[in-house]
Amino acid sequence: MAYLVDPQIEKAQILSNYAKGDFSLKKEVEKIVAETPAPLKQTPKLDPGPFQFEQEAVNGIINAGKTLVEMNLAGSVFGNISIFFADTIYISSSGSELDDLGSSIALCDISGRVRNELEPSSELPAHIRILKETSAKCVLHGHPFFTVAMSMIAGVGKTLFGIPIVGGETGGGENGIVHTVPDELKKLNIVVVHGHGVFAVDSFDFNNPLHAIHKLEKLSRKRYISKYL
């Protein structure tokens, strides 16, 4: 299966190449940085959990996806989000727009068997392992721009502000992030995937995951600009 490549990640690679010594990219990097919106000062509040009813859980995932995109922490058709409620995984469907999930939420059981007509995100295997093997009920995956760039600079096996950077390809294959991300989320509520994005989790709602991704992006942006520009 071919996966879409987020153009923001391609731009992040340019920032990484510049930081590693390709100074011919300076003007291009300055332009990219200038055109990338700065993170909000505060993290918006999302629907509070734990959710008692199905519609509350559905509204929670819809609002979290919309806010993640509005904050420029994920492109509309990149990233994914899920919640485990009443023995059902509600997850953004493949190719869905995170800021418009009203009719684009796939339903699966914990084994991955689909319960409606929508195809789940390609990252479903990672979500299943996270939900099975940790206390998390809510999983938020975004592509925060400067965080991705800093992960490329640091490399797999390193940390970014104390947060581990793991490798892994999109999907659930032999080299998929299904084999790297869940293990780290047994220890912390957030992990960075090298050159790809961030997964953050919580047991109650999406407030802490959104805050963690947002905070890491602010720190990464500040570090990149101060160190390389």
Side-chain angles (χ1 to χ4, degrees):
M1 178 183 293
Y3 298 104
L4 293 174
V5 177
D6 187 344
Q8 288 293 92
I9 292 178
E10 294 178 345
K11 291 180 181 179
Q13 183 67 65
I14 294 173
L15 267 63
S16 173
N17 292 343
Y18 172 72
K20 291 178 179 179
D22 188 350
F23 301 122
S24 67
L25 298 170
K26 184 174 183 179
K27 287 188 177 180
E28 188 173 0
V29 167
E30 289 176 336
K31 183 175 185 292
I32 291 171
V33 171
E35 292 176 347
T36 303
L40 300 178
K41 291 183 178 181
Q42 301 293 329
T43 311
K45 295 294 184 182
L46 298 174
D47 302 344
F51 303 117
Q52 302 297 316
F53 304 100
E54 180 184 32
Q55 193 56 53
E56 290 180 348
V58 170
N59 289 342
I61 193 172
I62 290 172
N63 292 335
K66 184 173 185 290
T67 304
L68 191 72
V69 174
E70 289 176 344
M71 294 176 68
N72 298 299
L73 297 175
S76 182
V77 296
F78 300 99
N80 39 76
I81 180 172
S82 73
I83 186 168
F84 188 52
F85 179 82
D87 296 323
T88 299
I89 301 173
Y90 296 75
I91 185 168
S92 52
S93 60
S94 179
S96 61
E97 297 179 356
L98 290 184
D99 49 347
D100 188 18
L101 287 175
S103 59
S104 302
I105 300 174
L107 276 59
C108 312
D109 64 21
I110 198 64
S111 70
R113 187 166 49 239
V114 179
R115 290 179 169 172
N116 63 359
E117 302 301 319
L118 297 176
E119 179 184 355
S121 164
S122 60
E123 301 294 8
L124 176 64
H127 286 250
I128 289 175
R129 268 205 69 202
I130 293 166
L131 296 169
K132 276 186 174 181
E133 300 177 21
T134 76
S135 61
K137 302 297 182 187
C138 301
V139 181
L140 193 60
H141 169 49
H143 292 186
F145 179 70
F146 285 95
T147 302
V148 171
M150 291 299 290
S151 78
M152 293 174 171
I153 296 167
V156 175
K158 304 298 184 179
T159 62
L160 185 58
F161 301 101
I163 298 168
I165 302 171
V166 302
E169 300 173 356
T170 298
E174 182 179 350
N175 299 314
I177 60 174
V178 64
H179 304 295
T180 56
V181 166
D183 289 338
E184 294 300 333
L185 291 176
K186 296 175 184 178
K187 310 167 195 174
L188 296 173
N189 73 331
I190 185 170
V191 62
V192 179
V193 182
H194 178 262
H196 180 75
V198 178
F199 281 80
V201 301
D202 190 69
S203 300
F204 298 106
D205 57 41
F206 293 102
N207 280 290
N208 283 336
L210 182 66
H211 177 72
I213 295 173
H214 182 211
K215 181 179 180 181
L216 180 58
E217 177 66 358
K218 289 197 294 183
L219 290 170
S220 296
R221 180 180 186 273
K222 183 177 181 180
R223 173 70 60 84
Y224 188 90
I225 292 174
S226 64
K227 187 171 183 178
Y228 301 111
L229 294 178

